[in-house]
Amino acid sequence: MGAKEKRLGQILDKYYVRSNSKVVIKDILNSNYQSEILDVYTQLDGVRENYNFRGKWDFVFKDFILELDEEAHFNRYRALTLTSSLYDEISYFPINKYKDFCKTYEDKCLKKGYGKYWASTSTEKMFGPSDLPKSFVRYGSSRWKQRAFYDYVKDVSYLYTGIPVVRLSIYDQFQINGKELSLEQLLVKNNLSDEYIFTQLTSLIAERKPL
């Protein structure tokens, strides 16, 4: 768990109740949504016999799930997943904003384009070989593809479980005392109280949940 995720958890835990129930995600892989999910997996160069999901949630609360998306979550592969027609059924998802983040901030993602952030034995088993770090000559990054696919499966799991998945990005913007600050800045500023930050977050969380 990174510092920003830990800080967010400290704030949210004061106001939301965590759930001990386990939300099984991988069941959706073989549900009525399998055809569309497999199509996205294939577009990401996924290897059919290794079609699977092994991700975990950031925060599971009583009536919704929350994911914090940092630099590694915004790139060309995540943008590809956002073209899936299943997002038409998730009206509360900030699809245009997330597409913009993928286009605007891939360079931030690329700063971690090395080591396990780029490729590993397990990611290449799922998505085939990778190019050299920070290179997109032919294959690109198997780890980026895996992360994009896992984020996609988490998003569409709502259609199967009925449990909303709220995404917050470190690039989300807030008006604070006449200045625009990102969520990342809110989480690292030590002069802002937990209560104040939570007040800023509540409206955004409400916007990203179904009515």
Side-chain angles (χ1 to χ4, degrees):
M1 179 184 294
K4 289 187 280 290
E5 182 180 336
K6 183 177 181 180
R7 174 79 172 112
L8 180 62
Q10 290 171 343
I11 296 168
L12 296 178
D13 283 339
K14 291 184 177 181
Y15 303 95
Y16 292 124
V17 178
R18 295 258 191 161
S19 173
N20 293 322
S21 62
K22 293 186 177 181
V23 181
V24 180
I25 309 171
K26 66 185 301 181
D27 287 351
I28 195 174
L29 298 180
N30 299 308
S31 69
N32 293 336
Y33 302 101
Q34 182 187 56
S35 177
E36 179 67 22
I37 295 172
L38 260 177
D39 182 59
V40 170
Y41 182 71
T42 300
Q43 289 183 62
L44 291 168
D45 302 319
V47 179
R48 181 64 179 88
E49 56 265 33
N50 295 319
Y51 173 63
N52 205 345
F53 178 92
R54 295 187 179 87
K56 62 180 181 180
W57 299 110
D58 290 344
F59 307 101
V60 179
F61 296 112
K62 188 175 180 181
D63 60 350
F64 71 100
I65 294 165
L66 190 143
E67 293 283 297
L68 175 64
D69 293 325
E70 300 186 46
E71 294 89 347
H73 292 263
F74 299 101
N75 53 61
R76 65 193 66 192
Y77 304 120
R78 182 61 168 129
L80 185 154
T81 68
L82 295 172
T83 64
S84 169
S85 62
L86 291 184
Y87 283 102
D88 294 339
E89 301 180 44
I90 312 174
S91 58
Y92 65 87
F93 189 89
I95 190 75
N96 291 328
K97 186 176 290 291
Y98 261 59
K99 286 179 178 179
D100 287 343
F101 288 159
C102 289
K103 182 179 180 179
T104 304
Y105 296 111
E106 183 174 274
D107 61 326
K108 302 283 189 182
C109 182
L110 199 58
K111 288 183 178 180
K112 288 190 174 182
Y114 56 86
K116 66 180 182 180
Y117 293 103
W118 186 258
S120 68
T121 301
S122 62
T123 61
E124 293 196 340
K125 185 177 181 180
M126 282 188 75
F127 293 96
S130 301
D131 283 323
L132 292 174
K134 302 187 179 184
S135 173
F136 297 94
V137 175
R138 183 176 180 183
Y139 302 111
S141 166
S142 58
R143 178 64 181 109
W144 285 22
K145 294 173 185 177
Q146 184 190 61
R147 183 181 287 107
F149 180 67
Y150 283 1
D151 281 354
Y152 168 67
V153 173
K154 286 180 177 182
D155 290 343
V156 301
S157 71
Y158 163 71
L159 301 174
Y160 185 79
T161 67
I163 302 173
V165 178
V166 174
R167 287 196 175 275
L168 299 181
S169 164
I170 60 170
Y171 303 122
D172 282 318
Q173 299 291 311
F174 301 84
Q175 289 293 328
I176 309 294
N177 298 324
K179 295 182 178 180
E180 196 168 74
L181 296 179
S182 67
L183 177 56
E184 180 175 35
Q185 291 172 309
L186 287 186
L187 294 176
V188 300
K189 275 186 171 292
N190 296 322
N191 62 331
L192 297 175
S193 69
D194 291 358
E195 181 180 8
Y196 184 81
I197 295 174
F198 179 74
T199 300
Q200 304 303 312
L201 292 175
T202 49
S203 60
L204 184 59
I205 290 174
E207 286 175 13
R208 295 185 181 174
K209 290 170 62 179
L211 298 176

